[in-house]
Amino acid sequence: MASIPLKKKADPASFLGQWSMFFRQFVKHPGMIGSVIPSSPALVNSMLDRVDWQRTRLFVEYGPGVGTFTRPILERMHPDATLLAIDLNLDFVAWLEAQIDDPRLRVVNGSAADVRRFIAESGHLQADYILSGIPFSTLPDGVGEFICAETQRAIRPGGEFLVYQYSAYVRRLLTGQFSEVVERVEWRNIPPCRMFRAMKSESLAQAA
Ligand SMILES: C[S@@+](CC[C@H](N)C(=O)[O-])C[C@H]1O[C@@H](n2cnc3c(N)ncnc32)[C@H](O)[C@@H]1O
């Protein structure tokens, strides 16, 4: 598939620069970040290898951090598609805006809980896929349930919620909202990571 090359606005996007930025944010906000180092390339590939890129027009990413998934998503994405990246941490938002110059990327500062508002503000109705790296097990009480319910409404029938997590906590939240949930483990990550594909049934009418 033809892809738009990613242009860097600033230079320090080196591997070490990304790790250092990520680690500094972990020290500042351990509960919000939930991991000491970014996801591995093996995890990124495993999470993205079943996406129907040809059909995807809106892809949403929760918790892009330093862009570990953001860049590979843009490399795979259709030239006419949009990637909406939502992060609670303003430093990560500023970092991504400085590092990735791609007209298909829209980075917003806020919570995944407001995903439907962010989708509407970007001129779309629903997402084809939503990918999440946020640490569900450390969110305040009730927030994970709310985000999963809002995500289910934000995804079109036949779309998918893709979640990677170190703990199994999120499984119960996903099975409460989605018609089918498939779980795998990617061992080539530190630590090994659970991967969930939560599918929204084709037969569900579009939620308001
Ligand atoms: C484990 S890091 C994942 C970073 C990157 N995607 C990766 O895989 O390396 C979790 C990210 O979720 C963000 N985050 C935490 N809670 C959030 C929320 N409620 N809404 C949006 N982003 C959130 C954090 O700021 C952080 O960027």
Side-chain angles (χ1 to χ4, degrees):
M1 172 184 303
S3 64
I4 297 175
L6 308 182
K7 289 174 279 167
K8 287 176 194 159
K9 286 183 194 166
D11 195 26
S14 66
F15 195 61
L16 279 179
Q18 288 180 39
W19 275 45
S20 149
M21 169 68 178
F22 195 91
F23 182 71
R24 276 183 279 125
Q25 292 305 316
F26 174 77
V27 171
K28 271 167 82 177
H29 315 282
M32 190 199 294
I33 312 296
S35 170
V36 184
I37 55 172
S39 301
S40 70
L43 176 61
V44 173
N45 287 331
S46 297
M47 287 298 297
L48 300 181
D49 66 1
R50 292 175 199 190
V51 172
D52 180 354
W53 295 106
Q54 201 53 42
R55 213 181 149 195
T56 298
R57 288 298 176 272
L58 179 63
F59 195 107
V60 177
E61 181 183 9
Y62 296 163
V66 290
T68 318
F69 278 86
T70 315
R71 292 177 179 81
I73 292 167
L74 289 167
E75 282 162 12
R76 291 161 171 79
M77 220 171 65
H78 192 280
D80 295 333
T82 296
L83 170 57
L84 173 62
I86 305 170
D87 206 299
L88 207 48
N89 184 322
L90 189 55
D91 291 332
F92 281 146
V93 170
W95 167 273
L96 284 179
E97 284 176 340
Q99 298 297 332
I100 303 179
D101 183 9
D102 186 311
R104 298 168 302 162
L105 175 64
R106 183 183 171 105
V107 188
V108 294
N109 179 220
S111 171
D114 295 319
V115 60
R116 289 200 291 158
R117 176 167 61 83
F118 289 130
I119 288 178
E121 286 171 1
S122 72
H124 290 82
L125 288 175
Q126 285 183 307
D128 298 291
Y129 291 88
I130 298 183
L131 173 93
S132 175
I134 65 180
F136 278 95
S137 58
T138 60
L139 296 178
D141 277 355
V143 175
E145 280 89 343
F146 185 76
I147 289 175
C148 285
E150 285 299 288
T151 301
Q152 196 275 350
R153 295 185 186 105
I155 292 175
R156 68 161 169 80
E160 297 183 9
F161 186 28
L162 309 174
V163 181
Y164 53 99
Q165 290 287 282
Y166 301 128
S167 106
Y169 174 85
V170 76
R171 187 193 301 128
R172 181 182 57 80
L173 307 186
L174 296 175
T175 52
Q177 294 292 338
F178 291 87
S179 52
E180 189 183 348
V181 178
V182 176
E183 183 176 347
R184 293 184 291 158
V185 175
E186 177 54 71
W187 298 98
R188 295 165 297 169
N189 191 71
I190 305 171
C193 191
R194 292 169 196 272
M195 305 182 293
F196 299 88
R197 277 176 78 205
M199 291 162 248
K200 179 164 171 176
S201 168
E202 285 277 5
S203 62
L204 285 183
Q206 182 173 307

